[in-house]
Amino acid sequence: MSEHTYRVTEIVGSSHEGIDDAIRNGLARASRTLRQLDWFQVTEIRGNLDEGTIAHYQVGLKVGFRLEDDGPGGDAGG
Amino acid sequence: MSEHTYRVTEIVGSSHEGIDDAIRNGLARASRTLRQLDWFQVTEIRGNLDEGTIAHYQVGLKVGFRLEDDGPGGDAGG
Amino acid sequence: MSEHTYRVTEIVGSSHEGIDDAIRNGLARASRTLRQLDWFQVTEIRGNLDEGTIAHYQVGLKVGFRLEDDGPGGDAGG
Amino acid sequence: MSEHTYRVTEIVGSSHEGIDDAIRNGLARASRTLRQLDWFQVTEIRGNLDEGTIAHYQVGLKVGFRLEDDGPGGDAGG
Amino acid sequence: MSEHTYRVTEIVGSSHEGIDDAIRNGLARASRTLRQLDWFQVTEIRGNLDEGTIAHYQVGLKVGFRLEDDGPGGDAGG
Amino acid sequence: MSEHTYRVTEIVGSSHEGIDDAIRNGLARASRTLRQLDWFQVTEIRGNLDEGTIAHYQVGLKVGFRLEDDGPGGDAGG
Amino acid sequence: MSEHTYRVTEIVGSSHEGIDDAIRNGLARASRTLRQLDWFQVTEIRGNLDEGTIAHYQVGLKVGFRLEDDGPGGDAGG
Amino acid sequence: MSEHTYRVTEIVGSSHEGIDDAIRNGLARASRTLRQLDWFQVTEIRGNLDEGTIAHYQVGLKVGFRLEDDGPGGDAGG
Amino acid sequence: MSEHTYRVTEIVGSSHEGIDDAIRNGLARASRTLRQLDWFQVTEIRGNLDEGTIAHYQVGLKVGFRLEDDGPGGDAGG
Amino acid sequence: MSEHTYRVTEIVGSSHEGIDDAIRNGLARASRTLRQLDWFQVTEIRGNLDEGTIAHYQVGLKVGFRLEDDGPGGDAGG
Amino acid sequence: MSEHTYRVTEIVGSSHEGIDDAIRNGLARASRTLRQLDWFQVTEIRGNLDEGTIAHYQVGLKVGFRLEDDGPGGDAGG
Amino acid sequence: MSEHTYRVTEIVGSSHEGIDDAIRNGLARASRTLRQLDWFQVTEIRGNLDEGTIAHYQVGLKVGFRLEDDGPGGDAGG
């Protein structure tokens, strides 16, 4: 009953502003299609440069969400 | 023909009982929506405590399954 | 606008021929169901043997692809 | 207020019986002197042998517990 | 004389605001009970979500502080 | 005299039952041909599945044993 | 022709303000002497403390830049 | 019965030609003295240079092979 | 009874002389306040320079010590 | 005299063809400006995709070369 | 012909004196039974304590040696 | 002003004598061409053997040095 199973998906969020903003952008995009987002973990912080200044911060994230206990769901291996 | 491609998905199984049980719970949930499960690998063993005793064991798992060679499948990037 | 979010999926490609071929086989299979593949990264090189010679090379790959900015998509946590 | 700080301490629990039991023994000992234990993470699984059989399972654990918000506590760097 | 010994303690700071703030909160709490804090190192950046938005940023930190050369101190193994 | 040298060998034990049993099976097999087994360390926990249930747990182990001080032994590089 | 070679150099940027600012400071300094900066990757986040507050954030960075295809350059092993 | 134990041995194969060839050379040499080779895993890819060109590719490999269930074998700790 | 629990604390020992001496200095300081020291493990070897020569060797150490079975001890989370 | 010091520089070689070719391209470019190249080590294998096929293989390399014993060289920290 | 294969074996050398001596002791023991020792690599530095002082330094070593090209050798999987 | 940027270069020092001596040799060579050396970190300890005894100890080092704030320097990406 409360022995839930979680799925962990990996995304990369990006931003012109900074690391916190790249995390928020990535999670906002993920929450449009995934329910029950539970936690995230930063796996990598990178970025690219253009003419000597930062064009994008890119933050790798693992995002965990709870699988429905009774769903037929196509999500477990998504 | 026999040069198959596999998908690896990441889940977290949980249990009140112990590590082996958390693995079995997570794989049982995954097998409800994924066919051709082939192998698993433990990535992390954690848990949470309540009043000084273990409430849940949580075991991170990578689970590999074979992609259909001819399917239009929506599964490769799932 | 250009602050895209990417999904990273993990696959294992295999081949009788060698490492480069296993990578190509895995990516060819992934590209049948995923659009906007952007980059890959090798995570593991393995293989199995039969009667003392290599039966399959197996190459683990993380594959990144861009999520549609406006899609309802079921892909973010796939 | 709810922006708590946690301390992480590292212990090694041991058992003649198995891994789950070594975890429980280590956490039981830790809970005698620490309040508010919140989570644990397994860092290492080892053991020693005597005459070809396992004498002890030894499981390394990181254990997290919440620091009191208003305590003068001697615990933060303990 | 100047061949000091340092202790390294591990904490997790949290914040609603972002990563830098979680680091500052954790170190502020640690400095209430530990003197001679010398350096820190980020070991992990995580967080949890509630209804699709970030509830807390959680930053793991190793914090080093100098042990008194002549103290009877109870701090070395704290 | 007591400045012994140890050899570390790597094995994979397997079991239908669970992790602890896979460790015991692997060490039992190793002890049939090696004397003076001293310690083990788990390096990996995996398994394979058949029809959605676990067929075998496979546990990677490093096993240390003491080399005879005066033996001509063929074991050091075994 | 388009099969470029890149050099990766490692720097540490610092700031009184925070992590994003330390990254920008380090890259600004690097761009004074290096052309064609292409990407960066954070390798480490540290800092030092003075009287219980953060004196400097220090962020380790790998910085990649494209080598001129036809240059006699002294830069490849710089 | 089918709960086999495997031994993992580590070798380095080399070649003037390339990575795949270095793997094949190393496994061919190993198969002259070991039966039941089952899998391999690449642990490292290196090489040495002579006058600016590659003299040898050197590929580190872990090689797993099944131990005889009933053998008196001197192989377990080899 | 003999299923002891151990605490692992992390220190950094330093020396003008060399690595072995930095280890000894760190452990000597730790043993002034901790009883039952059982083992150590080197986690990092660093140092700082002054005018081109080594000012201090700094060696990170994890130090394990046995917790009293019956103590009310304030040490488990120290 | 024979107690040489080596410098290790990090590059990324690329190729349309495959991994071995990307290594050769990167080392060929490095050898145009560095003498006494001695060894290399692969640190990463990546690539980017265009329209579902591999556009470039990118191989990260550490390259070691011997410093002149008597040179005033500007190369040690290059 | 010169495309040799090497075996890598793992040992732990110990000493009352220090790290360098533990390495020498381990390699001296290994060279009694293995020919063609070529290189070593330190994998771990540990030790145990007795009454607050170091009883033994223990240094983990991987040791590589060249396999005979034409030997029937029982050594490849040793 | 005091928000300095540092460069990190990687070298390998060697010695017939031991680890500490290999570190000193490598840093002495580096200090002939680099000013403002600030810290070092050991990344690897290896060596080669000749006739069963150690010919050279080889110690990998990352060496950090401060970049001039106002220099046109060619050193940042060296």
Side-chain angles (χ1 to χ4, degrees), chain G residues 7 9-12 14-16 25-26 29 32-34 56 65 78, chain L residues 2-4 6-8 62 68-73 76-78:
Chain G
R7 263 274 289 138
T9 189
E10 192 169 347
I11 62 173
V12 178
S14 65
S15 163
H16 301 301
N25 287 348
R29 178 62 183 83
R32 278 173 40 203
T33 50
L34 295 172
H56 292 91
F65 56 98
Chain L
S2 61
E3 297 189 332
H4 303 300
Y6 297 80
R7 264 273 290 139
V8 181
K62 291 207 175 188
E68 299 293 334
D69 295 327
D70 55 359

PDB file of all heavy atoms in Angstrom, chain G residues 7 9-12 14-16 25-26 29 32-34 56 65 78, chain L residues 2-4 6-8 62 68-73 76-78:
ATOM      1  N   ARG G   7      40.950  21.919 -27.033  1.00  0.00           N
ATOM      2  CA  ARG G   7      41.774  21.828 -25.843  1.00  0.00           C
ATOM      3  C   ARG G   7      40.883  22.051 -24.637  1.00  0.00           C
ATOM      4  O   ARG G   7      39.941  22.866 -24.697  1.00  0.00           O
ATOM      5  CB  ARG G   7      42.845  22.932 -25.857  1.00  0.00           C
ATOM      6  CG  ARG G   7      44.168  22.477 -26.369  1.00  0.00           C
ATOM      7  CD  ARG G   7      45.028  21.856 -25.275  1.00  0.00           C
ATOM      8  NE  ARG G   7      45.480  22.879 -24.355  1.00  0.00           N
ATOM      9  CZ  ARG G   7      45.499  22.703 -23.035  1.00  0.00           C
ATOM     10  NH1 ARG G   7      45.112  21.581 -22.485  1.00  0.00           N
ATOM     11  NH2 ARG G   7      45.913  23.674 -22.256  1.00  0.00           N
ATOM     12  N   THR G   9      41.108  23.172 -20.695  1.00  0.00           N
ATOM     13  CA  THR G   9      41.966  23.706 -19.641  1.00  0.00           C
ATOM     14  C   THR G   9      41.150  23.779 -18.356  1.00  0.00           C
ATOM     15  O   THR G   9      39.923  23.862 -18.391  1.00  0.00           O
ATOM     16  CB  THR G   9      42.528  25.084 -20.037  1.00  0.00           C
ATOM     17  OG1 THR G   9      43.511  25.479 -19.089  1.00  0.00           O
ATOM     18  CG2 THR G   9      41.450  26.146 -20.098  1.00  0.00           C
ATOM     19  N   GLU G  10      41.842  23.724 -17.217  1.00  0.00           N
ATOM     20  CA  GLU G  10      41.123  23.711 -15.942  1.00  0.00           C
ATOM     21  C   GLU G  10      41.452  24.958 -15.137  1.00  0.00           C
ATOM     22  O   GLU G  10      42.625  25.297 -14.963  1.00  0.00           O
ATOM     23  CB  GLU G  10      41.513  22.440 -15.166  1.00  0.00           C
ATOM     24  CG  GLU G  10      40.624  22.177 -13.968  1.00  0.00           C
ATOM     25  CD  GLU G  10      40.844  20.791 -13.370  1.00  0.00           C
ATOM     26  OE1 GLU G  10      41.503  19.957 -14.018  1.00  0.00           O
ATOM     27  OE2 GLU G  10      40.377  20.558 -12.248  1.00  0.00           O
ATOM     28  N   ILE G  11      40.412  25.641 -14.653  1.00  0.00           N
ATOM     29  CA  ILE G  11      40.614  26.845 -13.851  1.00  0.00           C
ATOM     30  C   ILE G  11      39.741  26.789 -12.602  1.00  0.00           C
ATOM     31  O   ILE G  11      38.869  25.936 -12.470  1.00  0.00           O
ATOM     32  CB  ILE G  11      40.279  28.136 -14.638  1.00  0.00           C
ATOM     33  CG1 ILE G  11      38.797  28.164 -15.060  1.00  0.00           C
ATOM     34  CG2 ILE G  11      41.188  28.281 -15.858  1.00  0.00           C
ATOM     35  CD1 ILE G  11      38.361  29.492 -15.693  1.00  0.00           C
ATOM     36  N   VAL G  12      39.999  27.716 -11.679  1.00  0.00           N
ATOM     37  CA  VAL G  12      39.137  27.889 -10.510  1.00  0.00           C
ATOM     38  C   VAL G  12      38.759  29.363 -10.457  1.00  0.00           C
ATOM     39  O   VAL G  12      39.633  30.224 -10.319  1.00  0.00           O
ATOM     40  CB  VAL G  12      39.848  27.484  -9.208  1.00  0.00           C
ATOM     41  CG1 VAL G  12      38.926  27.729  -8.005  1.00  0.00           C
ATOM     42  CG2 VAL G  12      40.271  26.026  -9.247  1.00  0.00           C
ATOM     43  N   SER G  14      36.589  32.509  -8.545  1.00  0.00           N
ATOM     44  CA  SER G  14      36.145  32.773  -7.170  1.00  0.00           C
ATOM     45  C   SER G  14      35.293  34.034  -7.107  1.00  0.00           C
ATOM     46  O   SER G  14      35.318  34.869  -8.005  1.00  0.00           O
ATOM     47  CB  SER G  14      37.354  32.888  -6.243  1.00  0.00           C
ATOM     48  OG  SER G  14      38.142  34.002  -6.587  1.00  0.00           O
ATOM     49  N   SER G  15      34.509  34.133  -6.035  1.00  0.00           N
ATOM     50  CA  SER G  15      33.605  35.273  -5.877  1.00  0.00           C
ATOM     51  C   SER G  15      33.176  35.390  -4.421  1.00  0.00           C
ATOM     52  O   SER G  15      33.066  34.400  -3.708  1.00  0.00           O
ATOM     53  CB  SER G  15      32.351  35.067  -6.739  1.00  0.00           C
ATOM     54  OG  SER G  15      31.296  35.917  -6.332  1.00  0.00           O
ATOM     55  N   HIS G  16      32.885  36.629  -4.009  1.00  0.00           N
ATOM     56  CA  HIS G  16      32.278  36.843  -2.683  1.00  0.00           C
ATOM     57  C   HIS G  16      30.768  36.606  -2.747  1.00  0.00           C
ATOM     58  O   HIS G  16      30.128  36.444  -1.727  1.00  0.00           O
ATOM     59  CB  HIS G  16      32.507  38.288  -2.204  1.00  0.00           C
ATOM     60  CG  HIS G  16      33.933  38.660  -2.090  1.00  0.00           C
ATOM     61  ND1 HIS G  16      34.803  37.993  -1.270  1.00  0.00           N
ATOM     62  CD2 HIS G  16      34.664  39.620  -2.719  1.00  0.00           C
ATOM     63  CE1 HIS G  16      36.007  38.537  -1.385  1.00  0.00           C
ATOM     64  NE2 HIS G  16      35.951  39.513  -2.259  1.00  0.00           N
ATOM     65  N   ASN G  25      33.274  35.049 -13.217  1.00  0.00           N
ATOM     66  CA  ASN G  25      34.597  35.653 -13.010  1.00  0.00           C
ATOM     67  C   ASN G  25      35.708  34.806 -13.621  1.00  0.00           C
ATOM     68  O   ASN G  25      36.621  35.324 -14.258  1.00  0.00           O
ATOM     69  CB  ASN G  25      34.878  35.823 -11.510  1.00  0.00           C
ATOM     70  CG  ASN G  25      34.070  36.951 -10.891  1.00  0.00           C
ATOM     71  OD1 ASN G  25      33.459  37.745 -11.606  1.00  0.00           O
ATOM     72  ND2 ASN G  25      34.054  37.014  -9.571  1.00  0.00           N
ATOM     73  N   GLY G  26      35.625  33.503 -13.408  1.00  0.00           N
ATOM     74  CA  GLY G  26      36.667  32.624 -13.948  1.00  0.00           C
ATOM     75  C   GLY G  26      36.683  32.637 -15.469  1.00  0.00           C
ATOM     76  O   GLY G  26      37.749  32.725 -16.088  1.00  0.00           O
ATOM     77  N   ARG G  29      38.086  35.908 -16.910  1.00  0.00           N
ATOM     78  CA  ARG G  29      39.552  35.943 -16.866  1.00  0.00           C
ATOM     79  C   ARG G  29      40.150  35.070 -17.963  1.00  0.00           C
ATOM     80  O   ARG G  29      41.111  35.456 -18.643  1.00  0.00           O
ATOM     81  CB  ARG G  29      40.035  35.474 -15.494  1.00  0.00           C
ATOM     82  CG  ARG G  29      41.538  35.422 -15.314  1.00  0.00           C
ATOM     83  CD  ARG G  29      42.181  36.791 -15.471  1.00  0.00           C
ATOM     84  NE  ARG G  29      43.647  36.729 -15.363  1.00  0.00           N
ATOM     85  CZ  ARG G  29      44.442  36.412 -16.370  1.00  0.00           C
ATOM     86  NH1 ARG G  29      43.939  36.121 -17.539  1.00  0.00           N
ATOM     87  NH2 ARG G  29      45.756  36.404 -16.191  1.00  0.00           N
ATOM     88  N   ARG G  32      40.238  36.473 -21.554  1.00  0.00           N
ATOM     89  CA  ARG G  32      41.195  37.535 -21.877  1.00  0.00           C
ATOM     90  C   ARG G  32      42.380  36.985 -22.659  1.00  0.00           C
ATOM     91  O   ARG G  32      43.038  37.720 -23.396  1.00  0.00           O
ATOM     92  CB  ARG G  32      41.692  38.210 -20.594  1.00  0.00           C
ATOM     93  CG  ARG G  32      40.707  39.273 -20.086  1.00  0.00           C
ATOM     94  CD  ARG G  32      41.074  39.850 -18.739  1.00  0.00           C
ATOM     95  NE  ARG G  32      42.501  40.071 -18.585  1.00  0.00           N
ATOM     96  CZ  ARG G  32      43.120  40.139 -17.411  1.00  0.00           C
ATOM     97  NH1 ARG G  32      42.427  39.992 -16.300  1.00  0.00           N
ATOM     98  NH2 ARG G  32      44.412  40.337 -17.338  1.00  0.00           N
ATOM     99  N   THR G  33      42.678  35.707 -22.469  1.00  0.00           N
ATOM    100  CA  THR G  33      43.858  35.156 -23.148  1.00  0.00           C
ATOM    101  C   THR G  33      43.546  33.987 -24.082  1.00  0.00           C
ATOM    102  O   THR G  33      44.430  33.524 -24.785  1.00  0.00           O
ATOM    103  CB  THR G  33      44.900  34.670 -22.112  1.00  0.00           C
ATOM    104  OG1 THR G  33      44.255  33.837 -21.161  1.00  0.00           O
ATOM    105  CG2 THR G  33      45.535  35.846 -21.407  1.00  0.00           C
ATOM    106  N   LEU G  34      42.323  33.532 -24.078  1.00  0.00           N
ATOM    107  CA  LEU G  34      41.971  32.391 -24.936  1.00  0.00           C
ATOM    108  C   LEU G  34      40.835  32.782 -25.869  1.00  0.00           C
ATOM    109  O   LEU G  34      39.833  33.350 -25.440  1.00  0.00           O
ATOM    110  CB  LEU G  34      41.509  31.202 -24.081  1.00  0.00           C
ATOM    111  CG  LEU G  34      42.555  30.592 -23.170  1.00  0.00           C
ATOM    112  CD1 LEU G  34      41.894  29.581 -22.253  1.00  0.00           C
ATOM    113  CD2 LEU G  34      43.647  29.924 -23.987  1.00  0.00           C
ATOM    114  N   HIS G  56      34.942  33.357   0.329  1.00  0.00           N
ATOM    115  CA  HIS G  56      34.961  33.165  -1.118  1.00  0.00           C
ATOM    116  C   HIS G  56      34.263  31.863  -1.495  1.00  0.00           C
ATOM    117  O   HIS G  56      34.474  30.853  -0.842  1.00  0.00           O
ATOM    118  CB  HIS G  56      36.399  33.028  -1.658  1.00  0.00           C
ATOM    119  CG  HIS G  56      37.204  34.249  -1.564  1.00  0.00           C
ATOM    120  ND1 HIS G  56      37.976  34.520  -0.472  1.00  0.00           N
ATOM    121  CD2 HIS G  56      37.381  35.285  -2.438  1.00  0.00           C
ATOM    122  CE1 HIS G  56      38.603  35.673  -0.660  1.00  0.00           C
ATOM    123  NE2 HIS G  56      38.264  36.159  -1.831  1.00  0.00           N
ATOM    124  N   PHE G  65      38.079  24.844 -25.676  1.00  0.00           N
ATOM    125  CA  PHE G  65      38.161  25.837 -26.758  1.00  0.00           C
ATOM    126  C   PHE G  65      38.751  25.169 -27.993  1.00  0.00           C
ATOM    127  O   PHE G  65      39.554  24.256 -27.910  1.00  0.00           O
ATOM    128  CB  PHE G  65      38.980  27.054 -26.344  1.00  0.00           C
ATOM    129  CG  PHE G  65      40.364  26.765 -25.866  1.00  0.00           C
ATOM    130  CD1 PHE G  65      41.458  26.887 -26.720  1.00  0.00           C
ATOM    131  CD2 PHE G  65      40.600  26.365 -24.558  1.00  0.00           C
ATOM    132  CE1 PHE G  65      42.741  26.621 -26.274  1.00  0.00           C
ATOM    133  CE2 PHE G  65      41.884  26.097 -24.109  1.00  0.00           C
ATOM    134  CZ  PHE G  65      42.953  26.225 -24.964  1.00  0.00           C
ATOM    135  N   GLY G  78      49.410  23.664 -23.857  1.00  0.00           N
ATOM    136  CA  GLY G  78      49.526  24.728 -22.865  1.00  0.00           C
ATOM    137  C   GLY G  78      48.946  24.317 -21.549  1.00  0.00           C
ATOM    138  O   GLY G  78      48.196  23.361 -21.485  1.00  0.00           O
TER     139      GLY G  78
ATOM    140  N   SER L   2      40.337  40.790  -4.966  1.00  0.00           N
ATOM    141  CA  SER L   2      40.833  39.562  -4.341  1.00  0.00           C
ATOM    142  C   SER L   2      40.037  38.357  -4.859  1.00  0.00           C
ATOM    143  O   SER L   2      40.109  37.291  -4.305  1.00  0.00           O
ATOM    144  CB  SER L   2      40.700  39.652  -2.815  1.00  0.00           C
ATOM    145  OG  SER L   2      39.344  39.797  -2.464  1.00  0.00           O
ATOM    146  N   GLU L   3      39.263  38.600  -5.896  1.00  0.00           N
ATOM    147  CA  GLU L   3      38.513  37.479  -6.476  1.00  0.00           C
ATOM    148  C   GLU L   3      39.344  36.851  -7.586  1.00  0.00           C
ATOM    149  O   GLU L   3      39.012  36.941  -8.768  1.00  0.00           O
ATOM    150  CB  GLU L   3      37.148  37.962  -6.987  1.00  0.00           C
ATOM    151  CG  GLU L   3      36.281  38.491  -5.848  1.00  0.00           C
ATOM    152  CD  GLU L   3      34.846  38.779  -6.237  1.00  0.00           C
ATOM    153  OE1 GLU L   3      34.598  39.079  -7.414  1.00  0.00           O
ATOM    154  OE2 GLU L   3      33.976  38.679  -5.361  1.00  0.00           O
ATOM    155  N   HIS L   4      40.437  36.266  -7.198  1.00  0.00           N
ATOM    156  CA  HIS L   4      41.413  35.710  -8.121  1.00  0.00           C
ATOM    157  C   HIS L   4      40.876  34.519  -8.910  1.00  0.00           C
ATOM    158  O   HIS L   4      39.958  33.833  -8.478  1.00  0.00           O
ATOM    159  CB  HIS L   4      42.645  35.221  -7.351  1.00  0.00           C
ATOM    160  CG  HIS L   4      43.276  36.292  -6.547  1.00  0.00           C
ATOM    161  ND1 HIS L   4      43.775  37.446  -7.101  1.00  0.00           N
ATOM    162  CD2 HIS L   4      43.504  36.400  -5.212  1.00  0.00           C
ATOM    163  CE1 HIS L   4      44.272  38.205  -6.145  1.00  0.00           C
ATOM    164  NE2 HIS L   4      44.107  37.597  -4.988  1.00  0.00           N
ATOM    165  N   TYR L   6      42.424  30.951 -10.671  1.00  0.00           N
ATOM    166  CA  TYR L   6      43.568  30.058 -10.606  1.00  0.00           C
ATOM    167  C   TYR L   6      43.568  29.137 -11.828  1.00  0.00           C
ATOM    168  O   TYR L   6      42.518  28.807 -12.372  1.00  0.00           O
ATOM    169  CB  TYR L   6      43.504  29.208  -9.337  1.00  0.00           C
ATOM    170  CG  TYR L   6      43.569  30.024  -8.088  1.00  0.00           C
ATOM    171  CD1 TYR L   6      42.435  30.673  -7.607  1.00  0.00           C
ATOM    172  CD2 TYR L   6      44.760  30.183  -7.402  1.00  0.00           C
ATOM    173  CE1 TYR L   6      42.488  31.464  -6.472  1.00  0.00           C
ATOM    174  CE2 TYR L   6      44.824  30.965  -6.252  1.00  0.00           C
ATOM    175  CZ  TYR L   6      43.688  31.606  -5.802  1.00  0.00           C
ATOM    176  OH  TYR L   6      43.748  32.400  -4.675  1.00  0.00           O
ATOM    177  N   ARG L   7      44.743  28.726 -12.240  1.00  0.00           N
ATOM    178  CA  ARG L   7      44.860  27.713 -13.270  1.00  0.00           C
ATOM    179  C   ARG L   7      45.292  26.417 -12.612  1.00  0.00           C
ATOM    180  O   ARG L   7      46.070  26.432 -11.647  1.00  0.00           O
ATOM    181  CB  ARG L   7      45.955  28.112 -14.285  1.00  0.00           C
ATOM    182  CG  ARG L   7      45.425  28.789 -15.504  1.00  0.00           C
ATOM    183  CD  ARG L   7      45.012  27.782 -16.579  1.00  0.00           C
ATOM    184  NE  ARG L   7      46.191  27.155 -17.142  1.00  0.00           N
ATOM    185  CZ  ARG L   7      46.274  25.859 -17.432  1.00  0.00           C
ATOM    186  NH1 ARG L   7      45.258  25.060 -17.216  1.00  0.00           N
ATOM    187  NH2 ARG L   7      47.385  25.374 -17.919  1.00  0.00           N
ATOM    188  N   VAL L   8      44.792  25.304 -13.103  1.00  0.00           N
ATOM    189  CA  VAL L   8      45.199  24.003 -12.584  1.00  0.00           C
ATOM    190  C   VAL L   8      45.877  23.244 -13.722  1.00  0.00           C
ATOM    191  O   VAL L   8      45.289  23.050 -14.786  1.00  0.00           O
ATOM    192  CB  VAL L   8      43.983  23.200 -12.089  1.00  0.00           C
ATOM    193  CG1 VAL L   8      44.418  21.858 -11.515  1.00  0.00           C
ATOM    194  CG2 VAL L   8      43.207  23.997 -11.057  1.00  0.00           C
ATOM    195  N   LYS L  62      47.823  17.395  -9.617  1.00  0.00           N
ATOM    196  CA  LYS L  62      47.225  18.627 -10.117  1.00  0.00           C
ATOM    197  C   LYS L  62      47.855  19.757  -9.332  1.00  0.00           C
ATOM    198  O   LYS L  62      47.959  19.684  -8.100  1.00  0.00           O
ATOM    199  CB  LYS L  62      45.711  18.627  -9.907  1.00  0.00           C
ATOM    200  CG  LYS L  62      45.007  17.609 -10.785  1.00  0.00           C
ATOM    201  CD  LYS L  62      43.581  18.021 -11.087  1.00  0.00           C
ATOM    202  CE  LYS L  62      42.958  17.054 -12.061  1.00  0.00           C
ATOM    203  NZ  LYS L  62      41.642  17.514 -12.527  1.00  0.00           N
ATOM    204  N   GLU L  68      47.761  36.174 -12.874  1.00  0.00           N
ATOM    205  CA  GLU L  68      47.906  37.611 -12.621  1.00  0.00           C
ATOM    206  C   GLU L  68      46.593  38.299 -12.975  1.00  0.00           C
ATOM    207  O   GLU L  68      45.995  38.012 -14.003  1.00  0.00           O
ATOM    208  CB  GLU L  68      49.015  38.174 -13.521  1.00  0.00           C
ATOM    209  CG  GLU L  68      50.374  37.568 -13.295  1.00  0.00           C
ATOM    210  CD  GLU L  68      50.922  37.915 -11.939  1.00  0.00           C
ATOM    211  OE1 GLU L  68      50.532  38.957 -11.381  1.00  0.00           O
ATOM    212  OE2 GLU L  68      51.732  37.125 -11.419  1.00  0.00           O
ATOM    213  N   ASP L  69      46.157  39.221 -12.138  1.00  0.00           N
ATOM    214  CA  ASP L  69      44.884  39.883 -12.404  1.00  0.00           C
ATOM    215  C   ASP L  69      44.944  40.785 -13.624  1.00  0.00           C
ATOM    216  O   ASP L  69      43.958  40.977 -14.315  1.00  0.00           O
ATOM    217  CB  ASP L  69      44.450  40.720 -11.193  1.00  0.00           C
ATOM    218  CG  ASP L  69      44.158  39.831 -10.007  1.00  0.00           C
ATOM    219  OD1 ASP L  69      43.685  38.697 -10.227  1.00  0.00           O
ATOM    220  OD2 ASP L  69      44.413  40.245  -8.876  1.00  0.00           O
ATOM    221  N   ASP L  70      46.127  41.342 -13.881  1.00  0.00           N
ATOM    222  CA  ASP L  70      46.203  42.319 -14.959  1.00  0.00           C
ATOM    223  C   ASP L  70      47.095  41.885 -16.118  1.00  0.00           C
ATOM    224  O   ASP L  70      47.350  42.669 -17.016  1.00  0.00           O
ATOM    225  CB  ASP L  70      46.738  43.626 -14.413  1.00  0.00           C
ATOM    226  CG  ASP L  70      48.067  43.385 -13.712  1.00  0.00           C
ATOM    227  OD1 ASP L  70      48.512  42.218 -13.656  1.00  0.00           O
ATOM    228  OD2 ASP L  70      48.650  44.359 -13.231  1.00  0.00           O
ATOM    229  N   GLY L  71      47.536  40.656 -16.094  1.00  0.00           N
ATOM    230  CA  GLY L  71      48.468  40.230 -17.138  1.00  0.00           C
ATOM    231  C   GLY L  71      47.760  39.944 -18.442  1.00  0.00           C
ATOM    232  O   GLY L  71      46.599  39.552 -18.455  1.00  0.00           O
ATOM    233  N   PRO L  72      48.472  40.168 -19.545  1.00  0.00           N
ATOM    234  CA  PRO L  72      47.916  39.810 -20.843  1.00  0.00           C
ATOM    235  C   PRO L  72      48.078  38.301 -20.983  1.00  0.00           C
ATOM    236  O   PRO L  72      47.410  37.657 -21.766  1.00  0.00           O
ATOM    237  CB  PRO L  72      48.817  40.545 -21.826  1.00  0.00           C
ATOM    238  CG  PRO L  72      50.136  40.645 -21.112  1.00  0.00           C
ATOM    239  CD  PRO L  72      49.800  40.774 -19.645  1.00  0.00           C
ATOM    240  N   GLY L  73      48.891  37.804 -20.155  1.00  0.00           N
ATOM    241  CA  GLY L  73      49.289  36.404 -20.046  1.00  0.00           C
ATOM    242  C   GLY L  73      48.834  35.464 -21.149  1.00  0.00           C
ATOM    243  O   GLY L  73      47.711  35.513 -21.615  1.00  0.00           O
ATOM    244  N   ALA L  76      46.510  31.341 -19.365  1.00  0.00           N
ATOM    245  CA  ALA L  76      45.220  30.821 -18.888  1.00  0.00           C
ATOM    246  C   ALA L  76      44.824  29.493 -19.513  1.00  0.00           C
ATOM    247  O   ALA L  76      44.211  28.644 -18.890  1.00  0.00           O
ATOM    248  CB  ALA L  76      44.104  31.838 -19.140  1.00  0.00           C
ATOM    249  N   GLY L  77      45.176  29.341 -20.732  1.00  0.00           N
ATOM    250  CA  GLY L  77      44.756  28.086 -21.367  1.00  0.00           C
ATOM    251  C   GLY L  77      45.928  27.205 -21.671  1.00  0.00           C
ATOM    252  O   GLY L  77      45.829  26.247 -22.432  1.00  0.00           O
ATOM    253  N   GLY L  78      47.010  27.565 -21.077  1.00  0.00           N
ATOM    254  CA  GLY L  78      48.257  26.842 -21.366  1.00  0.00           C
ATOM    255  C   GLY L  78      48.062  25.368 -21.148  1.00  0.00           C
ATOM    256  O   GLY L  78      47.107  24.947 -20.533  1.00  0.00           O
TER     257      GLY L  78
END
